[in-house]
């Protein structure tokens, strides 16, 4: 299973090559994050059955998933992982990570971004497809604005 951590402040993706990865500031860590807010041995990442698991090792500044402090958690595609003050987006699987809306303004020109926003307002993404909930693979409720079934929920 391929897994990456994409830094939200920019920079190259961090490839998670081993099945068990010790994350921290210490030199012998598998994934070394040289930042004063990161503990010497901060957390452990484990790749298992298409899911990335994280376990905090009693770090001073904590480990968060989607803003919620955790001791241990399963990470899914596109979830946000914070290791102390460093924030990452999780990418699991082959290929390049998809561009998420909060990252689009940095990667698209102003006219491209305006077209994308207009398309999303019509219930489409930039490719003209109906947006789908990435976890449940169902159309999002506002994908069909004129559909009475979606309005009743």
């Amino acid at each position: 299973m391929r897994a990456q951590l994409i830094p939200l402040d920019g920079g190259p993706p961090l490839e998670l090559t081993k099945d068990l990865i010790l994350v921290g500031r210490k030199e012998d860590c598998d994934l070394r994050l040289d930042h004063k807010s990161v503990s010497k041995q901060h957390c452990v990442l484990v790749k298992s059955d298409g899911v990335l698991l994280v376990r905090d090792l009693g770090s001073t500044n904590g480990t968060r998933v989607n803003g919620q402090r955790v001791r241990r958690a399963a990470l899914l595609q596109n979830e946000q992982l914070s290791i102390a003050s460093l924030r990452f987006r999780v990418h699991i699987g082959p290929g390049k990570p998809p561009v998420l809306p909060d990252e689009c303004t940095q990667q698209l020109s102003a006219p491209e971004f305006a077209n994308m926003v207009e398309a999303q307002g019509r219930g489409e993404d930039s490719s003209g497809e109906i947006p789908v909930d990435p976890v449940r693979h169902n159309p999002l409720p506002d994908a069909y604005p004129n559909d009475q079934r979606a309005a009743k929920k």
Side-chain angles (χ1 to χ4, degrees), residues 21 38 43 45 61 83 94 97 132:
I21 299 144
V38 176
C43 64
L45 297 170
N61 293 311
I83 298 171
V132 173

Side-chain angles (χ1 to χ4, degrees), residues 9-27:
D9 64 351
L14 303 175
E15 194 76 34
L16 305 177
T17 56
K18 298 167 92 180
D19 287 339
L20 181 89
I21 299 144
L22 176 61
V23 180
R25 199 177 68 233
K26 209 171 176 184
E27 285 187 28

Side-chain angles (χ1 to χ4, degrees), residues 20-24 33 37-46 52-65 68-75 81-86:
L20 181 89
I21 299 144
L22 176 61
V23 180
L33 299 175
S37 67
V38 176
S39 294
K40 289 178 184 175
Q41 293 186 335
H42 198 97
C43 64
V44 174
L45 297 170
V46 178
L52 188 62
L53 305 171
V54 62
R55 181 173 182 192
D56 188 83
L57 297 174
S59 65
T60 302
N61 293 311
T63 301
R64 289 177 160 63
V65 175
Q68 183 76 32
R69 191 166 181 162
V70 296
R71 287 188 183 177
R72 62 181 65 157
L75 299 165
L81 172 67
S82 298
I83 298 171
S85 65
L86 304 177

